[in-house]
Amino acid sequence: MIPLARRVLAEFLGTALLVAVVVGSGIMAHSLSPNDVGLQLLENAIATVFGLGVLIVVLGPVSGAHFNPVVSAAEWWQARRTGTGLSARELAAYIPAQIGGAIAGAVLANAMFDQPAISWASTERTASHLWLGEGVATAGLVLVIFGLVRAGRTAMAPVAVAGYIGAAYWFTSSTSFANPAVTVGRAFSDSFAGIAPASVPGFVVAQLAGGVIGLLLVTGLFGRPAVGARQEAVVPHPASRP
């Protein structure tokens, strides 16, 4: 059994590196293609897909590679019925690590590109259609992750989860943040991937709502999980409960 401290470290590190990939590739994309927003988005999306896939493969066996408070909360909610997965104590440890890691990742990306360590984002993302996009993106992410869990196909998670996020960059109006921790982190960098601090609460509320809808869809498609059924996401990982 992997100690909780090591799993929390994996969540902190994984979320930090994920945000560093998202923000850093956004800064690089703006530098390489300053007059082509579509190309910037493509460059940002490709880096995120590969970075996320690798992080899931490497850190998944330690902590499950959640890197996302919505995913952790969804696993905890499922665990209330099945008795397997994150406990409330573990959830309370995962979420601060994810948020702290996201902020650290943005600061790291800023430093790598010789930007101020903290440069508050100025990109306003406050509109109902963007919140709808975030709700759709997060619901789809939860459906993909827990659909794989319920189907016993978690070995496909690195490809499926990263592929979904890459696609959602393009088919959602919000470019698919789908993650409250990453949303907070991206507020710390005034770059292509940034979001103004005032826009963060609306995105987080939409993401939480999307997470609930995603779990409802999982239940509608696969039924309620049986007591004792393993529900660890994104990939199976040692938890404190059998």
Side-chain angles (χ1 to χ4, degrees):
M1 182 182 300
I2 297 177
L4 178 59
R6 286 169 57 188
R7 286 183 276 143
V8 168
L9 175 60
E11 286 297 300
F12 176 90
L13 179 62
T15 313
L17 291 176
L18 175 59
V19 173
V21 168
V22 172
V23 172
S25 63
I27 296 172
M28 178 66 82
H30 181 74
S31 175
L32 295 175
S33 312
N35 300 314
D36 192 332
V37 176
L39 186 55
Q40 291 175 27
L41 183 61
L42 178 61
E43 292 160 348
N44 192 208
I46 290 174
T48 301
V49 167
F50 284 114
L52 178 57
V54 169
L55 289 171
I56 292 173
V57 170
V58 174
L59 297 176
V62 180
S63 68
H66 295 184
F67 315 145
N68 187 333
V70 169
V71 174
S72 297
E75 182 182 306
W76 166 78
W77 182 260
Q78 297 273 50
R80 293 169 67 251
R81 174 179 174 82
T82 65
T84 64
L86 289 183
S87 66
R89 171 174 170 266
E90 290 167 325
L91 177 65
Y94 267 45
I95 291 178
Q98 292 159 350
I99 295 173
I103 295 171
V107 171
L108 175 62
N110 289 336
M112 286 193 294
F113 287 91
D114 197 27
Q115 305 291 319
I118 296 176
S119 56
W120 297 111
S122 58
T123 304
E124 296 289 341
R125 302 179 189 265
T126 303
S128 58
H129 69 282
L130 298 179
W131 298 332
L132 176 60
E134 273 303 283
V136 169
T138 311
L141 177 63
V142 170
L143 176 59
V144 168
I145 290 171
F146 288 93
L148 290 173
V149 170
R150 298 294 297 279
R153 303 186 68 184
T154 51
M156 295 295 297
V159 173
V161 173
Y164 172 79
I165 290 297
Y169 256 81
W170 292 91
F171 77 75
T172 64
S173 57
S174 63
T175 66
S176 183
F177 287 46
N179 184 329
V182 169
T183 302
V184 171
R186 289 167 73 159
F188 283 75
S189 178
D190 190 16
S191 62
F192 175 78
I195 176 172
S199 300
V200 168
F203 264 50
V204 171
V205 169
Q207 291 156 357
L208 295 176
V212 172
I213 293 170
L215 277 180
L216 292 174
L217 291 173
V218 171
T219 301
L221 291 169
F222 297 94
R224 293 183 180 276
V227 174
R230 299 188 68 86
Q231 294 296 303
E232 293 95 339
V234 172
V235 297
H237 57 279
S240 65
R241 294 190 284 182

